[in-house]
PDB file of all heavy atoms in Angstrom:
ATOM      1  N   GLU A   1       0.896  -1.178   0.015  1.00 97.00           N
ATOM      2  CA  GLU A   1       0.046  -0.026  -0.037  1.00 97.00           C
ATOM      3  C   GLU A   1       0.883   1.207  -0.011  1.00 97.00           C
ATOM      4  O   GLU A   1       1.928   1.315   0.737  1.00 97.00           O
ATOM      5  CB  GLU A   1      -0.834  -0.013   1.245  1.00 97.00           C
ATOM      6  CG  GLU A   1      -1.678   1.331   1.373  1.00 97.00           C
ATOM      7  CD  GLU A   1      -2.238   1.526   2.787  1.00 97.00           C
ATOM      8  OE1 GLU A   1      -1.899   0.669   3.737  1.00 97.00           O
ATOM      9  OE2 GLU A   1      -3.052   2.470   3.012  1.00 97.00           O
ATOM     10  N   ASN A   2       0.596   2.215  -0.818  1.00 97.00           N
ATOM     11  CA  ASN A   2       1.278   3.438  -0.766  1.00 97.00           C
ATOM     12  C   ASN A   2       0.782   4.257   0.391  1.00 97.00           C
ATOM     13  O   ASN A   2      -0.322   4.467   0.685  1.00 97.00           O
ATOM     14  CB  ASN A   2       1.016   4.269  -2.042  1.00 97.00           C
ATOM     15  CG  ASN A   2       1.672   3.721  -3.236  1.00 97.00           C
ATOM     16  OD1 ASN A   2       2.810   3.056  -3.178  1.00 97.00           O
ATOM     17  ND2 ASN A   2       1.090   3.907  -4.440  1.00 97.00           N
ATOM     18  N   LEU A   3       1.851   4.773   1.232  1.00 96.00           N
ATOM     19  CA  LEU A   3       1.505   5.463   2.470  1.00 96.00           C
ATOM     20  C   LEU A   3       1.595   7.019   2.161  1.00 96.00           C
ATOM     21  O   LEU A   3       1.893   7.806   3.128  1.00 96.00           O
ATOM     22  CB  LEU A   3       2.548   5.160   3.525  1.00 96.00           C
ATOM     23  CG  LEU A   3       2.552   3.707   4.006  1.00 96.00           C
ATOM     24  CD1 LEU A   3       3.576   3.511   5.048  1.00 96.00           C
ATOM     25  CD2 LEU A   3       1.129   3.360   4.567  1.00 96.00           C
ATOM     26  N   HIS A   4       1.180   7.467   1.020  1.00 95.00           N
ATOM     27  CA  HIS A   4       1.218   8.837   0.727  1.00 95.00           C
ATOM     28  C   HIS A   4       0.129   9.241  -0.351  1.00 95.00           C
ATOM     29  O   HIS A   4      -0.403   8.324  -0.976  1.00 95.00           O
ATOM     30  CB  HIS A   4       2.628   9.220   0.110  1.00 95.00           C
ATOM     31  CG  HIS A   4       2.898   8.476  -1.227  1.00 95.00           C
ATOM     32  ND1 HIS A   4       2.632   9.002  -2.403  1.00 95.00           N
ATOM     33  CD2 HIS A   4       3.450   7.249  -1.432  1.00 95.00           C
ATOM     34  CE1 HIS A   4       2.893   8.120  -3.353  1.00 95.00           C
ATOM     35  NE2 HIS A   4       3.499   7.093  -2.796  1.00 95.00           N
ATOM     36  N   SER A   5      -0.046  10.549  -0.451  1.00 93.00           N
ATOM     37  CA  SER A   5      -0.993  11.010  -1.456  1.00 93.00           C
ATOM     38  C   SER A   5      -0.222  11.430  -2.686  1.00 93.00           C
ATOM     39  O   SER A   5       1.059  11.372  -2.697  1.00 93.00           O
ATOM     40  CB  SER A   5      -1.771  12.201  -0.960  1.00 93.00           C
ATOM     41  OG  SER A   5      -0.902  13.311  -0.654  1.00 93.00           O
ATOM     42  N   ALA A   6      -0.934  11.819  -3.721  1.00 91.00           N
ATOM     43  CA  ALA A   6      -0.196  12.282  -4.939  1.00 91.00           C
ATOM     44  C   ALA A   6       0.642  13.571  -4.768  1.00 91.00           C
ATOM     45  O   ALA A   6       1.592  13.876  -5.523  1.00 91.00           O
ATOM     46  CB  ALA A   6      -1.228  12.604  -5.993  1.00 91.00           C
ATOM     47  N   ASP A   7       0.399  14.228  -3.690  1.00 92.00           N
ATOM     48  CA  ASP A   7       1.168  15.523  -3.396  1.00 92.00           C
ATOM     49  C   ASP A   7       2.636  15.208  -3.154  1.00 92.00           C
ATOM     50  O   ASP A   7       3.507  16.009  -3.442  1.00 92.00           O
ATOM     51  CB  ASP A   7       0.628  16.186  -2.141  1.00 92.00           C
ATOM     52  CG  ASP A   7      -0.774  16.745  -2.364  1.00 92.00           C
ATOM     53  OD1 ASP A   7      -1.169  16.915  -3.536  1.00 92.00           O
ATOM     54  OD2 ASP A   7      -1.504  17.022  -1.348  1.00 92.00           O
ATOM     55  N   LEU A   8       2.971  13.985  -2.639  1.00 94.00           N
ATOM     56  CA  LEU A   8       4.332  13.692  -2.399  1.00 94.00           C
ATOM     57  C   LEU A   8       5.134  13.541  -3.658  1.00 94.00           C
ATOM     58  O   LEU A   8       6.379  13.875  -3.771  1.00 94.00           O
ATOM     59  CB  LEU A   8       4.409  12.390  -1.597  1.00 94.00           C
ATOM     60  CG  LEU A   8       5.915  11.947  -1.160  1.00 94.00           C
ATOM     61  CD1 LEU A   8       6.571  13.086  -0.309  1.00 94.00           C
ATOM     62  CD2 LEU A   8       5.803  10.640  -0.375  1.00 94.00           C
ATOM     63  N   GLU A   9       4.473  13.101  -4.700  1.00 90.00           N
ATOM     64  CA  GLU A   9       5.186  12.944  -5.995  1.00 90.00           C
ATOM     65  C   GLU A   9       5.725  14.236  -6.584  1.00 90.00           C
ATOM     66  O   GLU A   9       6.724  14.331  -7.160  1.00 90.00           O
ATOM     67  CB  GLU A   9       4.296  12.273  -6.996  1.00 90.00           C
ATOM     68  CG  GLU A   9       3.853  10.879  -6.566  1.00 90.00           C
ATOM     69  CD  GLU A   9       2.870  10.164  -7.547  1.00 90.00           C
ATOM     70  OE1 GLU A   9       2.815  10.625  -8.733  1.00 90.00           O
ATOM     71  OE2 GLU A   9       2.294   9.158  -7.169  1.00 90.00           O
ATOM     72  N   GLU A  10       5.017  15.390  -6.254  1.00 88.00           N
ATOM     73  CA  GLU A  10       5.419  16.687  -6.711  1.00 88.00           C
ATOM     74  C   GLU A  10       6.708  17.105  -5.910  1.00 88.00           C
ATOM     75  O   GLU A  10       7.520  17.944  -6.417  1.00 88.00           O
ATOM     76  CB  GLU A  10       4.374  17.688  -6.499  1.00 88.00           C
ATOM     77  CG  GLU A  10       3.044  17.425  -7.360  1.00 88.00           C
ATOM     78  CD  GLU A  10       1.980  18.434  -7.175  1.00 88.00           C
ATOM     79  OE1 GLU A  10       2.243  19.462  -6.430  1.00 88.00           O
ATOM     80  OE2 GLU A  10       0.877  18.189  -7.658  1.00 88.00           O
ATOM     81  N   LEU A  11       6.868  16.573  -4.699  1.00 90.00           N
ATOM     82  CA  LEU A  11       8.082  16.975  -3.911  1.00 90.00           C
ATOM     83  C   LEU A  11       9.206  15.979  -4.106  1.00 90.00           C
ATOM     84  O   LEU A  11      10.248  16.119  -3.392  1.00 90.00           O
ATOM     85  CB  LEU A  11       7.657  16.917  -2.377  1.00 90.00           C
ATOM     86  CG  LEU A  11       6.684  18.023  -1.919  1.00 90.00           C
ATOM     87  CD1 LEU A  11       6.247  17.843  -0.588  1.00 90.00           C
ATOM     88  CD2 LEU A  11       7.288  19.402  -2.097  1.00 90.00           C
ATOM     89  N   GLY A  12       9.107  15.086  -5.065  1.00 90.00           N
ATOM     90  CA  GLY A  12      10.204  14.227  -5.375  1.00 90.00           C
ATOM     91  C   GLY A  12      10.400  12.981  -4.528  1.00 90.00           C
ATOM     92  O   GLY A  12      11.524  12.386  -4.515  1.00 90.00           O
ATOM     93  N   GLY A  13       9.315  12.600  -3.843  1.00 94.00           N
ATOM     94  CA  GLY A  13       9.448  11.430  -2.946  1.00 94.00           C
ATOM     95  C   GLY A  13      10.049  11.767  -1.614  1.00 94.00           C
ATOM     96  O   GLY A  13      10.201  12.991  -1.291  1.00 94.00           O
ATOM     97  N   LEU A  14      10.341  10.686  -0.792  1.00 96.00           N
ATOM     98  CA  LEU A  14      10.738  10.870   0.559  1.00 96.00           C
ATOM     99  C   LEU A  14      11.758   9.900   0.927  1.00 96.00           C
ATOM    100  O   LEU A  14      11.710   8.757   0.610  1.00 96.00           O
ATOM    101  CB  LEU A  14       9.545  10.750   1.483  1.00 96.00           C
ATOM    102  CG  LEU A  14       9.747  10.959   3.027  1.00 96.00           C
ATOM    103  CD1 LEU A  14       8.496  11.582   3.626  1.00 96.00           C
ATOM    104  CD2 LEU A  14       9.955   9.607   3.679  1.00 96.00           C
ATOM    105  N   GLU A  15      12.803  10.416   1.691  1.00 96.00           N
ATOM    106  CA  GLU A  15      13.871   9.547   2.187  1.00 96.00           C
ATOM    107  C   GLU A  15      14.213  10.030   3.588  1.00 96.00           C
ATOM    108  O   GLU A  15      13.682  11.049   4.074  1.00 96.00           O
ATOM    109  CB  GLU A  15      15.028   9.527   1.297  1.00 96.00           C
ATOM    110  CG  GLU A  15      15.130   8.250   0.479  1.00 96.00           C
ATOM    111  CD  GLU A  15      15.391   6.940   1.272  1.00 96.00           C
ATOM    112  OE1 GLU A  15      15.514   7.022   2.579  1.00 96.00           O
ATOM    113  OE2 GLU A  15      15.426   5.848   0.684  1.00 96.00           O
ATOM    114  N   PHE A  16      15.124   9.357   4.252  1.00 96.00           N
ATOM    115  CA  PHE A  16      15.654   9.638   5.645  1.00 96.00           C
ATOM    116  C   PHE A  16      14.414   9.693   6.627  1.00 96.00           C
ATOM    117  O   PHE A  16      14.230  10.658   7.315  1.00 96.00           O
ATOM    118  CB  PHE A  16      16.339  10.956   5.694  1.00 96.00           C
ATOM    119  CG  PHE A  16      17.584  11.052   4.884  1.00 96.00           C
ATOM    120  CD1 PHE A  16      18.087  12.324   4.527  1.00 96.00           C
ATOM    121  CD2 PHE A  16      18.304   9.922   4.532  1.00 96.00           C
ATOM    122  CE1 PHE A  16      19.386  12.342   3.775  1.00 96.00           C
ATOM    123  CE2 PHE A  16      19.544   9.964   3.830  1.00 96.00           C
ATOM    124  CZ  PHE A  16      19.990  11.101   3.476  1.00 96.00           C
ATOM    125  N   PRO A  17      13.602   8.624   6.608  1.00 97.00           N
ATOM    126  CA  PRO A  17      12.385   8.653   7.470  1.00 97.00           C
ATOM    127  C   PRO A  17      12.745   8.519   8.917  1.00 97.00           C
ATOM    128  O   PRO A  17      13.687   7.810   9.292  1.00 97.00           O
ATOM    129  CB  PRO A  17      11.687   7.372   6.996  1.00 97.00           C
ATOM    130  CG  PRO A  17      12.792   6.475   6.499  1.00 97.00           C
ATOM    131  CD  PRO A  17      13.717   7.334   5.874  1.00 97.00           C
ATOM    132  N   GLN A  18      11.929   9.175   9.789  1.00 97.00           N
ATOM    133  CA  GLN A  18      12.089   9.088  11.160  1.00 97.00           C
ATOM    134  C   GLN A  18      10.706   9.026  11.804  1.00 97.00           C
ATOM    135  O   GLN A  18       9.744   9.528  11.322  1.00 97.00           O
ATOM    136  CB  GLN A  18      12.837  10.286  11.747  1.00 97.00           C
ATOM    137  CG  GLN A  18      14.337  10.303  11.406  1.00 97.00           C
ATOM    138  CD  GLN A  18      15.100   9.233  12.234  1.00 97.00           C
ATOM    139  OE1 GLN A  18      14.655   8.963  13.359  1.00 97.00           O
ATOM    140  NE2 GLN A  18      16.130   8.759  11.671  1.00 97.00           N
ATOM    141  N   ILE A  19      10.590   8.429  13.038  1.00 97.00           N
ATOM    142  CA  ILE A  19       9.437   8.373  13.808  1.00 97.00           C
ATOM    143  C   ILE A  19       9.716   8.812  15.200  1.00 97.00           C
ATOM    144  O   ILE A  19      10.890   9.187  15.529  1.00 97.00           O
ATOM    145  CB  ILE A  19       8.846   6.912  13.786  1.00 97.00           C
ATOM    146  CG1 ILE A  19       9.797   5.904  14.461  1.00 97.00           C
ATOM    147  CG2 ILE A  19       8.429   6.467  12.440  1.00 97.00           C
ATOM    148  CD1 ILE A  19       9.174   4.613  14.772  1.00 97.00           C
ATOM    149  N   ASN A  20       8.680   8.736  16.115  1.00 97.00           N
ATOM    150  CA  ASN A  20       8.844   8.880  17.541  1.00 97.00           C
ATOM    151  C   ASN A  20       9.537   7.574  18.003  1.00 97.00           C
ATOM    152  O   ASN A  20       8.747   6.736  18.491  1.00 97.00           O
ATOM    153  CB  ASN A  20       7.563   9.263  18.203  1.00 97.00           C
ATOM    154  CG  ASN A  20       7.656   9.469  19.651  1.00 97.00           C
ATOM    155  OD1 ASN A  20       8.671   9.052  20.323  1.00 97.00           O
ATOM    156  ND2 ASN A  20       6.649  10.041  20.286  1.00 97.00           N
ATOM    157  N   TYR A  21      10.780   7.389  17.837  1.00 96.00           N
ATOM    158  CA  TYR A  21      11.385   6.072  17.975  1.00 96.00           C
ATOM    159  C   TYR A  21      11.322   5.513  19.393  1.00 96.00           C
ATOM    160  O   TYR A  21      10.984   4.348  19.589  1.00 96.00           O
ATOM    161  CB  TYR A  21      12.910   6.109  17.545  1.00 96.00           C
ATOM    162  CG  TYR A  21      13.558   4.783  17.395  1.00 96.00           C
ATOM    163  CD1 TYR A  21      13.622   4.132  16.154  1.00 96.00           C
ATOM    164  CD2 TYR A  21      14.147   4.153  18.472  1.00 96.00           C
ATOM    165  CE1 TYR A  21      14.229   2.938  16.036  1.00 96.00           C
ATOM    166  CE2 TYR A  21      14.734   2.912  18.411  1.00 96.00           C
ATOM    167  CZ  TYR A  21      14.807   2.320  17.132  1.00 96.00           C
ATOM    168  OH  TYR A  21      15.402   1.048  17.031  1.00 96.00           O
ATOM    169  N   SER A  22      11.574   6.357  20.412  1.00 94.00           N
ATOM    170  CA  SER A  22      11.674   5.858  21.676  1.00 94.00           C
ATOM    171  C   SER A  22      10.338   5.316  22.213  1.00 94.00           C
ATOM    172  O   SER A  22      10.334   4.490  23.157  1.00 94.00           O
ATOM    173  CB  SER A  22      12.170   6.984  22.662  1.00 94.00           C
ATOM    174  OG  SER A  22      11.308   8.060  22.686  1.00 94.00           O
ATOM    175  N   GLN A  23       9.223   5.809  21.759  1.00 95.00           N
ATOM    176  CA  GLN A  23       7.950   5.420  22.214  1.00 95.00           C
ATOM    177  C   GLN A  23       7.155   4.522  21.232  1.00 95.00           C
ATOM    178  O   GLN A  23       6.235   3.795  21.680  1.00 95.00           O
ATOM    179  CB  GLN A  23       7.144   6.667  22.551  1.00 95.00           C
ATOM    180  CG  GLN A  23       7.737   7.491  23.650  1.00 95.00           C
ATOM    181  CD  GLN A  23       6.940   8.766  23.968  1.00 95.00           C
ATOM    182  OE1 GLN A  23       5.777   8.848  23.737  1.00 95.00           O
ATOM    183  NE2 GLN A  23       7.649   9.778  24.407  1.00 95.00           N
ATOM    184  N   TYR A  24       7.523   4.547  19.960  1.00 96.00           N
ATOM    185  CA  TYR A  24       6.646   3.779  18.955  1.00 96.00           C
ATOM    186  C   TYR A  24       7.407   2.829  18.062  1.00 96.00           C
ATOM    187  O   TYR A  24       6.804   2.245  17.186  1.00 96.00           O
ATOM    188  CB  TYR A  24       5.862   4.831  18.186  1.00 96.00           C
ATOM    189  CG  TYR A  24       4.725   5.484  18.880  1.00 96.00           C
ATOM    190  CD1 TYR A  24       4.959   6.638  19.645  1.00 96.00           C
ATOM    191  CD2 TYR A  24       3.495   4.950  18.891  1.00 96.00           C
ATOM    192  CE1 TYR A  24       3.909   7.208  20.365  1.00 96.00           C
ATOM    193  CE2 TYR A  24       2.452   5.526  19.628  1.00 96.00           C
ATOM    194  CZ  TYR A  24       2.682   6.673  20.380  1.00 96.00           C
ATOM    195  OH  TYR A  24       1.640   7.204  21.037  1.00 96.00           O
ATOM    196  N   ASN A  25       8.699   2.758  18.242  1.00 97.00           N
ATOM    197  CA  ASN A  25       9.449   1.773  17.432  1.00 97.00           C
ATOM    198  C   ASN A  25       8.939   0.369  17.730  1.00 97.00           C
ATOM    199  O   ASN A  25       8.798  -0.011  18.949  1.00 97.00           O
ATOM    200  CB  ASN A  25      10.921   1.787  17.641  1.00 97.00           C
ATOM    201  CG  ASN A  25      11.715   0.981  16.722  1.00 97.00           C
ATOM    202  OD1 ASN A  25      11.522   1.058  15.494  1.00 97.00           O
ATOM    203  ND2 ASN A  25      12.471   0.041  17.175  1.00 97.00           N
ATOM    204  N   GLY A  26       8.505  -0.409  16.702  1.00 96.00           N
ATOM    205  CA  GLY A  26       8.066  -1.747  16.885  1.00 96.00           C
ATOM    206  C   GLY A  26       6.664  -1.756  17.298  1.00 96.00           C
ATOM    207  O   GLY A  26       6.085  -2.915  17.696  1.00 96.00           O
ATOM    208  N   LYS A  27       5.963  -0.683  17.296  1.00 97.00           N
ATOM    209  CA  LYS A  27       4.579  -0.563  17.783  1.00 97.00           C
ATOM    210  C   LYS A  27       3.672   0.083  16.582  1.00 97.00           C
ATOM    211  O   LYS A  27       4.202   0.768  15.774  1.00 97.00           O
ATOM    212  CB  LYS A  27       4.371   0.234  19.010  1.00 97.00           C
ATOM    213  CG  LYS A  27       5.220  -0.377  20.212  1.00 97.00           C
ATOM    214  CD  LYS A  27       5.074   0.570  21.456  1.00 97.00           C
ATOM    215  CE  LYS A  27       5.959   0.037  22.548  1.00 97.00           C
ATOM    216  NZ  LYS A  27       5.898   0.937  23.730  1.00 97.00           N
ATOM    217  N   LYS A  28       2.453  -0.165  16.697  1.00 97.00           N
ATOM    218  CA  LYS A  28       1.503   0.571  15.736  1.00 97.00           C
ATOM    219  C   LYS A  28       1.584   2.145  16.000  1.00 97.00           C
ATOM    220  O   LYS A  28       1.599   2.538  17.148  1.00 97.00           O
ATOM    221  CB  LYS A  28       0.065   0.054  15.889  1.00 97.00           C
ATOM    222  CG  LYS A  28      -0.863   0.376  14.817  1.00 97.00           C
ATOM    223  CD  LYS A  28      -2.215  -0.215  14.976  1.00 97.00           C
ATOM    224  CE  LYS A  28      -3.173   0.060  13.802  1.00 97.00           C
ATOM    225  NZ  LYS A  28      -4.410  -0.562  13.955  1.00 97.00           N
ATOM    226  N   TYR A  29       1.710   2.771  14.930  1.00 98.00           N
ATOM    227  CA  TYR A  29       1.934   4.202  15.020  1.00 98.00           C
ATOM    228  C   TYR A  29       1.194   4.987  13.968  1.00 98.00           C
ATOM    229  O   TYR A  29       0.528   4.326  13.078  1.00 98.00           O
ATOM    230  CB  TYR A  29       3.441   4.506  14.851  1.00 98.00           C
ATOM    231  CG  TYR A  29       3.947   4.322  13.485  1.00 98.00           C
ATOM    232  CD1 TYR A  29       4.445   5.291  12.710  1.00 98.00           C
ATOM    233  CD2 TYR A  29       3.937   3.029  12.886  1.00 98.00           C
ATOM    234  CE1 TYR A  29       4.910   5.174  11.355  1.00 98.00           C
ATOM    235  CE2 TYR A  29       4.416   2.817  11.578  1.00 98.00           C
ATOM    236  CZ  TYR A  29       4.872   3.821  10.846  1.00 98.00           C
ATOM    237  OH  TYR A  29       5.292   3.629   9.611  1.00 98.00           O
ATOM    238  N   ARG A  30       1.279   6.257  13.903  1.00 97.00           N
ATOM    239  CA  ARG A  30       0.431   7.110  12.953  1.00 97.00           C
ATOM    240  C   ARG A  30       1.266   8.030  12.099  1.00 97.00           C
ATOM    241  O   ARG A  30       0.939   8.276  10.969  1.00 97.00           O
ATOM    242  CB  ARG A  30      -0.631   7.796  13.711  1.00 97.00           C
ATOM    243  CG  ARG A  30      -1.588   8.616  12.768  1.00 97.00           C
ATOM    244  CD  ARG A  30      -2.766   9.213  13.549  1.00 97.00           C
ATOM    245  NE  ARG A  30      -3.605   9.959  12.673  1.00 97.00           N
ATOM    246  CZ  ARG A  30      -4.744  10.566  13.012  1.00 97.00           C
ATOM    247  NH1 ARG A  30      -5.230  10.389  14.250  1.00 97.00           N
ATOM    248  NH2 ARG A  30      -5.366  11.268  12.144  1.00 97.00           N
ATOM    249  N   PHE A  31       2.331   8.577  12.628  1.00 98.00           N
ATOM    250  CA  PHE A  31       3.146   9.668  11.978  1.00 98.00           C
ATOM    251  C   PHE A  31       4.486   9.288  11.717  1.00 98.00           C
ATOM    252  O   PHE A  31       5.185   8.605  12.455  1.00 98.00           O
ATOM    253  CB  PHE A  31       3.079  10.923  12.819  1.00 98.00           C
ATOM    254  CG  PHE A  31       1.723  11.380  13.196  1.00 98.00           C
ATOM    255  CD1 PHE A  31       1.254  11.255  14.484  1.00 98.00           C
ATOM    256  CD2 PHE A  31       0.880  12.004  12.256  1.00 98.00           C
ATOM    257  CE1 PHE A  31       0.027  11.681  14.862  1.00 98.00           C
ATOM    258  CE2 PHE A  31      -0.363  12.431  12.672  1.00 98.00           C
ATOM    259  CZ  PHE A  31      -0.837  12.297  13.953  1.00 98.00           C
ATOM    260  N   PHE A  32       5.035   9.723  10.557  1.00 98.00           N
ATOM    261  CA  PHE A  32       6.461   9.640  10.249  1.00 98.00           C
ATOM    262  C   PHE A  32       6.931  10.878   9.571  1.00 98.00           C
ATOM    263  O   PHE A  32       6.094  11.701   9.029  1.00 98.00           O
ATOM    264  CB  PHE A  32       6.910   8.453   9.622  1.00 98.00           C
ATOM    265  CG  PHE A  32       6.415   8.350   8.133  1.00 98.00           C
ATOM    266  CD1 PHE A  32       7.125   8.754   7.072  1.00 98.00           C
ATOM    267  CD2 PHE A  32       5.194   7.737   7.884  1.00 98.00           C
ATOM    268  CE1 PHE A  32       6.759   8.678   5.750  1.00 98.00           C
ATOM    269  CE2 PHE A  32       4.711   7.663   6.519  1.00 98.00           C
ATOM    270  CZ  PHE A  32       5.440   8.123   5.402  1.00 98.00           C
ATOM    271  N   TYR A  33       8.155  11.242   9.603  1.00 98.00           N
ATOM    272  CA  TYR A  33       8.745  12.408   9.066  1.00 98.00           C
ATOM    273  C   TYR A  33       9.966  12.099   8.077  1.00 98.00           C
ATOM    274  O   TYR A  33      10.530  10.954   8.206  1.00 98.00           O
ATOM    275  CB  TYR A  33       9.389  13.255  10.179  1.00 98.00           C
ATOM    276  CG  TYR A  33       8.371  13.446  11.333  1.00 98.00           C
ATOM    277  CD1 TYR A  33       8.315  12.369  12.316  1.00 98.00           C
ATOM    278  CD2 TYR A  33       7.515  14.457  11.390  1.00 98.00           C
ATOM    279  CE1 TYR A  33       7.323  12.510  13.405  1.00 98.00           C
ATOM    280  CE2 TYR A  33       6.568  14.593  12.533  1.00 98.00           C
ATOM    281  CZ  TYR A  33       6.508  13.613  13.433  1.00 98.00           C
ATOM    282  OH  TYR A  33       5.609  13.759  14.420  1.00 98.00           O
ATOM    283  N   GLY A  34      10.293  12.946   7.166  1.00 97.00           N
ATOM    284  CA  GLY A  34      11.376  12.611   6.261  1.00 97.00           C
ATOM    285  C   GLY A  34      11.726  13.827   5.464  1.00 97.00           C
ATOM    286  O   GLY A  34      11.176  14.944   5.613  1.00 97.00           O
ATOM    287  N   CYS A  35      12.689  13.682   4.575  1.00 96.00           N
ATOM    288  CA  CYS A  35      13.247  14.729   3.613  1.00 96.00           C
ATOM    289  C   CYS A  35      12.450  14.485   2.241  1.00 96.00           C
ATOM    290  O   CYS A  35      12.521  13.336   1.787  1.00 96.00           O
ATOM    291  CB  CYS A  35      14.656  14.640   3.470  1.00 96.00           C
ATOM    292  SG  CYS A  35      15.548  15.465   4.805  1.00 96.00           S
ATOM    293  N   GLY A  36      11.961  15.557   1.717  1.00 95.00           N
ATOM    294  CA  GLY A  36      11.480  15.505   0.335  1.00 95.00           C
ATOM    295  C   GLY A  36      12.674  15.772  -0.582  1.00 95.00           C
ATOM    296  O   GLY A  36      13.508  16.638  -0.392  1.00 95.00           O
TER     297      GLY A  36
END
């Protein structure tokens, strides 16, 4: 499943992803961050 909308394609995709690691790594989560 693609985890993004069409808007991300205009920004050139995403890399260097990060999450709230200390509290949600290995757990069900909702948000992540990255570089376009």
Side-chain angles (χ1 to χ4, degrees):
E1 173 196 6
N2 289 328
L3 295 179
H4 62 90
S5 65
D7 294 340
L8 183 59
E9 298 179 17
E10 297 179 8
L11 291 173
L14 179 146
E15 259 293 358
F16 298 158
Q18 285 289 330
I19 63 169
N20 183 343
Y21 190 96
S22 62
Q23 298 177 27
Y24 286 88
N25 187 56
K27 301 175 182 178
K28 194 173 182 180
Y29 71 115
R30 182 171 177 176
F31 303 106
F32 68 93
Y33 313 85
C35 281

